[in-house]
Amino acid sequence: MIDSQVLSKINSWKVGNNLNFCLGADVGGSGIRFCLTNANDQNDKIEPGHIKVKSAQEFMNAFDNLHQAIQSVAKGAKCVGSSIACAGLRKEDTVQVMNWNGPAENQTIRISKINQNLFPKSHSLVLNDLEAGAYGVIALGESGKANEYFQKLWGPKGGSLLSKYYHTAVMAMGSGLGSALIIKEPETHANVVMPTESGYLMSSSRGMEHPNYNKEIGTLEFISDRYFDGQLNPPYEDLASGHGIVDDYDALIHGKSGLDAGQIAEMAKKGDLNAKTAMKNHYIFFTRLAKQLAYGTNCRSIVMALSNQVANKWLIDEILPELEAEFKDATAWRWIREVSVYSQVKECNVNMVGTTYVAHY
Ligand code: BGC
């Protein structure tokens, strides 16, 4: 995990006898990524790579091992702030990471048990993954780098990704569908981040006279039968996410394909019609949630973040008119035209940028 490059980098952060660093971490379904930064300069950083972690115990071990590895190359190095991004529900001293399988204890991180050398008391936070993403958007916005990573898909001319006066919503599809709000404090215009679980909002279909009505109802009923015995409209996450793509595809073939999201994306790229339609449908539902979030939170910009947006840019470009029509075809249609929608176009782990920003706060 710690090679000679990391070693010389860490040691270059020494000021007199002090070697202080901050730690950011991004926990995903398959593992954890760390980012070490010079405590005096958050742009001076090193990312030791991806470590496989699929349970709370392995998560704790990864922190212990990293601590030992750092001390073996830079004795006395001190972590002065840290922040961990994690999908899932936070409850008191625990976070439940839904992406890990097995019994509840496999999924449950006890925050107070994380190695305190790398998670110092009163200088550390566990964030929801999209909460970290929102801080990442703030960090990129403040450093003037946002235009490098995000492109406006539609919306009024001018303005910026991080609106000066209005709220912003940051959304992303990974294994689930997450979102967080950047709320503008009305007097000072300071940014206040609020994590949400809006991926669980119940989906809706277009109206009965819309040409896609029957197809959409077919998809919603198929997914509702799969997870809710036909009793509930599925949440947006079951239509627009890694597993949502599979559900959309299976709804089209009326069966269980056994494919995963990556395979469907590859097939779509090669021109497979069902795969492409499934991918398109998942973006339509993602955009429909974006529209509902814009109304529900009164925000004027929506940021669609993370690497899926970059990987699927070819498709987003192709279906852009349909996505824009979906967004703008709305109840209070004059108001929705004031909202700008941005998409990430260049690789960058925005969640990690956010954890680093918070670790240095
Ligand atoms: C989780 C959220 C997370 C989102 C994206 C959802 O399943 O409940 O906490 O933000 O996935 O990873």
Side-chain angles (χ1 to χ4, degrees), residues 87-89 98 128-130 172 176-179 197 200 237:
L89 299 177
M98 310 294 237
N128 172 262
D129 55 348
L130 261 293
L177 199 182
S179 82
E197 286 291 342
Y200 295 111
E237 171 164 301

Side-chain angles (χ1 to χ4, degrees), residues 39-347:
N40 298 310
D41 175 7
Q42 59 175 290
N43 294 316
D44 191 4
K45 61 182 176 190
I46 188 110
E47 298 195 20
H50 181 263
I51 298 151
K52 271 195 188 155
V53 159
K54 282 183 174 275
S55 70
Q57 193 50 52
E58 288 176 8
F59 169 91
M60 294 296 177
N61 295 345
F63 274 80
D64 293 345
N65 294 341
L66 180 66
H67 171 61
Q68 277 171 17
I70 293 172
Q71 291 307 314
S72 70
V73 297
K75 199 161 174 45
K78 190 173 167 208
C79 177
V80 292
S82 87
S83 153
I84 304 170
C86 221
L89 299 177
R90 170 90 194 261
K91 205 173 153 198
E92 293 168 10
D93 185 41
T94 63
V95 192
Q96 200 182 354
V97 183
M98 310 294 237
N99 291 328
W100 293 336
N101 296 325
E105 71 255 30
N106 269 8
Q107 297 184 324
T108 310
I109 297 174
R110 294 213 168 271
I111 298 170
S112 55
K113 299 268 188 266
I114 301 171
N115 191 317
Q116 302 256 311
N117 294 297
L118 295 182
F119 197 73
K121 267 207 171 109
S122 328
H123 294 286
S124 301
L125 273 180
V126 173
L127 305 171
N128 172 262
D129 55 348
L130 261 293
E131 185 179 15
Y135 281 112
V137 166
I138 293 173
L140 293 171
E142 286 179 351
S143 64
K145 286 190 190 149
N147 288 343
E148 213 181 296
Y149 295 100
F150 294 91
Q151 201 175 50
K152 190 184 280 198
L153 294 179
W154 58 81
K157 281 208 169 66
S160 68
L161 169 98
L162 195 59
S163 160
K164 196 162 172 210
Y165 303 106
Y166 301 107
H167 312 321
T168 298
V170 181
M171 308 170 65
M173 291 187 283
S175 30
L177 199 182
S179 82
L181 304 177
I182 304 172
I183 297 170
K184 278 285 158 180
E185 206 278 322
E187 293 291 317
T188 61
H189 302 142
N191 298 308
V192 179
V193 172
M194 183 176 133
T196 79
E197 286 291 342
S198 55
Y200 295 111
L201 286 174
M202 270 189 279
S203 57
S204 61
S205 72
R206 297 295 303 241
M208 281 170 74
E209 299 303 326
H210 191 273
N212 291 348
Y213 175 74
N214 286 328
K215 284 187 197 146
E216 284 196 0
I217 290 292
T219 300
L220 296 181
E221 283 180 352
F222 179 89
I223 300 177
S224 176
D225 286 344
R226 175 168 277 185
Y227 297 118
F228 306 104
D229 295 329
Q231 301 284 319
L232 289 170
N233 266 7
Y236 279 99
E237 171 164 301
D238 290 346
L239 293 139
S241 66
H243 76 266
I245 295 180
V246 178
D247 292 327
D248 292 326
Y249 183 91
D250 289 0
L252 288 171
I253 63 160
H254 307 285
K256 190 169 166 47
S257 62
L259 296 168
D260 64 30
Q263 289 167 321
I264 295 174
E266 272 308 304
M267 287 160 61
K269 227 172 182 174
K270 288 185 185 141
D272 180 281
L273 201 59
N274 279 335
K276 220 169 154 183
T277 308
M279 296 277 291
K280 179 172 134 185
N281 289 347
H282 108 292
Y283 272 115
I284 291 281
F285 282 105
F286 192 46
T287 306
R288 194 166 300 167
L289 175 61
K291 170 167 62 181
Q292 297 191 2
L293 267 185
Y295 283 129
T297 65
N298 192 11
C299 65
R300 300 292 167 93
S301 63
I302 303 257
V303 180
M304 297 176 167
L306 295 190
S307 54
N308 285 334
Q309 293 298 118
V310 184
N312 296 333
K313 187 176 181 306
W314 67 274
L315 180 73
I316 296 171
D317 287 345
E318 200 177 305
I319 61 174
L320 195 60
E322 287 159 89
L323 297 180
E324 184 175 354
E326 169 61 43
F327 191 79
K328 291 187 174 171
D329 204 0
T331 44
W333 61 270
R334 278 201 182 86
W335 182 84
I336 206 78
R337 282 167 167 70
E338 300 292 313
V339 181
S340 295
V341 176
Y342 295 83
S343 180
Q344 189 169 336
V345 289
K346 184 175 162 189
E347 212 38 78

